[in-house]
Amino acid sequence: MNFKISRIPLVLIILISVGTNTAYVMGEGWKAGFAKSVITPEEFMFMSGYGSRDKPANGKILDVYVRVSVLEDEAGTEGVFIALDLISVPKKMAVALTTAINKKYGIPRASVILNSSHTHSAPALDDRLSYIYKYPDPDAAWKQIYEYQAWLNKTVLETVDRAVKDKKSALVESGQGTCRFAVNRRPPIGEGPYDHDVPVLKISSTDGQKVRGLIYGYACHCTVLSLFQWSGDYAGFSSKYLEEMYPGSVALFFAGCGADQNPLPRRTVELAKKYGHMLAVSVDDVVNQKMKKVEPTLATRFTEIDLAFDKLPPVEQFEAEAKGKNFHKRMRAINILKEVKVLGHVPTSRPYPVQVWNLGNDINWITLGGEVVVDYAIRLKKELGKEKTWVAGYSNDGLAYIPSERVLKEGGYEGAGAMVYYQQPTKWKAGLEDQIVDAVHKLVNSITEQKK
Ligand SMILES: [Zn+2]
């Protein structure tokens, strides 16, 4: 199926017909810069995402990328958004990159978002999920992972540098579309809540004639494909199609609260292309309608709250599991016991990243760590306004699934079962939903206070 060719003339016509409605003169308003780099490993190595994988990748459907946008408001406040075709953002990677960016450009932690598309067809990283594999040769596999991670960090920083150098005056507009392929995957499949919104930020030349960048999101697992070939899954295809529709642009995807959402049906390359095309068309529809001009103000906030675990098993249980037959429990126990050596006890909580960017006094772009279930997006949009609230998961630290109170109570994979794969000692303690939502409100209120 090839959808994109027939659309190009329409896009061109609309590009020609849209206006010269810029209110800005050079030197005022937003500045924006973009860059992207291929982050496909040069050698075949283990892929992340599915525990059943027993050998390295052996081919490529689509390169995986890091895409970077740098926005600068009228007052000189900068925001760096790093969109990664990866399974997660390892905490260590986020710390290394945000520290380096701060040192080089003076940009604070709050002004850097790292989001992963959660594609299950990208390399294994130096993160919690890489302990789920029975590597044929663990030493060789981990050596490759460490080397790739080091190269990746360097490549991301080089890409940020190019995006910073690309900064020029820009027009920024926002809108929201709809795309319907995400299905709630918790049993009974298809009956639970979902979030089909497609938030879009369009960044164009000041005269509005040339689209330079598109930032867009969707709440659904990047799990159409489960092959041994690199790809960004449906999100990789949607960005590819958008960049073809708008030549010279960079299309940055962010993963929403899709922890309990799957693209169904799935498992063929044709379906990955189809969903990628559906999403690209949703974005394109928004771009071709009248969008709202975003005033050139950016305020950013970041905090880490302490998320507590439920009642912990005794250390003796991990000591037994570290010698046990169950592979996943054994790996988890080994990792927990390493922490016990340092802490003197089983870890009782984890720091959890919560971040808000306010764009143009209008949009609150909330980014949360881990695999966040859709209930958070639905609740935050209800409490903060559907049109002006964007919610990303999979940002800044891929520490675990983040169930809502409902999903925690129901249990199952997202509520409890997946914690072992994330090397966490047990499920989260009840109360985390209010704690996270309260942290978001505090950040939003702090921005509102500043603007008074
Ligand atoms: Zn997942």
Side-chain angles (χ1 to χ4, degrees), residues 1-19:
M1 272 181 279
N2 191 332
F3 306 90
K4 58 188 184 289
I5 288 164
S6 64
R7 295 200 58 84
I8 290 170
L10 175 65
V11 168
L12 284 176
I13 290 160
I14 290 159
L15 270 179
I16 291 160
S17 67
V18 294

Side-chain angles (χ1 to χ4, degrees), residues 118 120 185 221 259 371 394 401 422:
H118 199 48
H120 282 44
R185 72 186 195 181
H221 257 77
E371 302 204 43
Y394 300 94
Y401 273 84
Y422 273 104

Side-chain angles (χ1 to χ4, degrees), residues 134-254:
K134 291 179 184 168
Y135 301 106
D137 180 349
D139 289 344
W142 277 101
K143 183 170 178 281
Q144 265 189 321
I145 289 172
Y146 293 139
E147 283 173 4
Y148 174 72
Q149 184 74 61
W151 175 83
L152 172 70
N153 289 6
K154 203 171 102 225
T155 305
V156 173
L157 287 174
E158 284 166 6
T159 315
V160 170
D161 206 49
R162 279 193 284 119
V164 169
K165 287 179 179 143
D166 184 56
K167 260 190 309 185
K168 40 187 160 290
S169 294
L171 179 68
V172 179
E173 295 165 282
S174 74
Q176 192 141 242
T178 305
C179 191
R180 302 187 192 278
F181 63 80
V183 176
N184 193 301
R185 72 186 195 181
R186 288 174 58 80
I189 292 172
E191 291 188 14
Y194 54 83
D195 173 12
H196 286 164
D197 291 345
V198 181
V200 180
L201 202 68
K202 178 178 92 171
I203 300 101
S204 31
S205 55
T206 49
D207 60 5
Q209 294 288 346
K210 186 175 165 45
V211 175
R212 295 179 53 218
L214 293 162
I215 296 174
Y216 68 103
Y218 194 58
C220 185
H221 257 77
C222 251
T223 52
V224 180
L225 298 173
S226 59
L227 305 165
F228 285 85
Q229 292 163 293
W230 306 122
S231 89
D233 209 273
Y234 76 80
F237 280 108
S238 61
S239 285
K240 172 181 149 61
Y241 295 152
L242 284 166
E243 289 170 357
E244 286 168 359
M245 290 171 176
Y246 297 96
S249 74
V250 178
L252 299 91
F253 171 84
F254 69 85

Side-chain angles (χ1 to χ4, degrees), residues 51-166:
S52 56
R53 284 202 176 104
D54 56 0
K55 58 178 191 273
N58 56 25
K60 178 175 82 178
I61 294 166
L62 204 59
D63 273 314
V64 285
Y65 288 89
V66 54
R67 293 176 169 92
V68 178
S69 77
V70 179
L71 290 172
E72 185 183 323
D73 76 358
E74 211 161 43
T77 301
E78 288 170 288
V80 180
F81 171 45
I82 301 170
L84 298 148
D85 287 341
L86 293 173
I87 190 74
S88 77
V89 178
K91 172 82 182 264
K92 275 186 272 185
M93 177 183 181
V95 170
L97 295 186
T98 54
T99 305
I101 289 168
N102 180 256
K103 206 171 155 197
K104 184 155 186 191
Y105 311 101
I107 296 173
R109 175 66 189 88
S111 297
V112 183
I113 297 172
L114 292 114
N115 180 274
S116 59
S117 70
H118 199 48
T119 173
H120 282 44
S121 299
L125 302 170
D126 181 11
D127 73 351
R128 298 174 168 278
L129 287 175
S130 290
Y131 293 95
I132 64 178
Y133 295 110
K134 291 179 184 168
Y135 301 106
D137 180 349
D139 289 344
W142 277 101
K143 183 170 178 281
Q144 265 189 321
I145 289 172
Y146 293 139
E147 283 173 4
Y148 174 72
Q149 184 74 61
W151 175 83
L152 172 70
N153 289 6
K154 203 171 102 225
T155 305
V156 173
L157 287 174
E158 284 166 6
T159 315
V160 170
D161 206 49
R162 279 193 284 119
V164 169
K165 287 179 179 143
D166 184 56

Side-chain angles (χ1 to χ4, degrees), residues 338-373:
K338 277 187 215 159
E339 287 193 82
V340 171
K341 259 194 186 160
V342 178
L343 297 170
H345 56 84
V346 177
T348 55
S349 68
R350 297 289 180 210
Y352 181 72
V354 179
Q355 184 176 27
V356 178
W357 281 16
N358 180 279
L359 294 139
N361 300 315
D362 194 18
I363 296 158
N364 284 313
W365 184 9
I366 298 152
T367 73
L368 302 172
E371 302 204 43
V372 184
V373 300

Side-chain angles (χ1 to χ4, degrees), residues 229-288:
Q229 292 163 293
W230 306 122
S231 89
D233 209 273
Y234 76 80
F237 280 108
S238 61
S239 285
K240 172 181 149 61
Y241 295 152
L242 284 166
E243 289 170 357
E244 286 168 359
M245 290 171 176
Y246 297 96
S249 74
V250 178
L252 299 91
F253 171 84
F254 69 85
C257 299
D260 48 355
Q261 312 290 312
N262 265 346
L264 297 178
R266 55 181 182 168
R267 299 300 189 228
T268 69
V269 176
E270 280 308 301
L271 282 167
K273 287 181 179 172
K274 180 181 166 178
Y275 299 142
H277 182 260
M278 285 169 72
L279 186 52
V281 167
S282 303
V283 173
D284 191 37
D285 284 346
V286 174
V287 169
N288 291 325

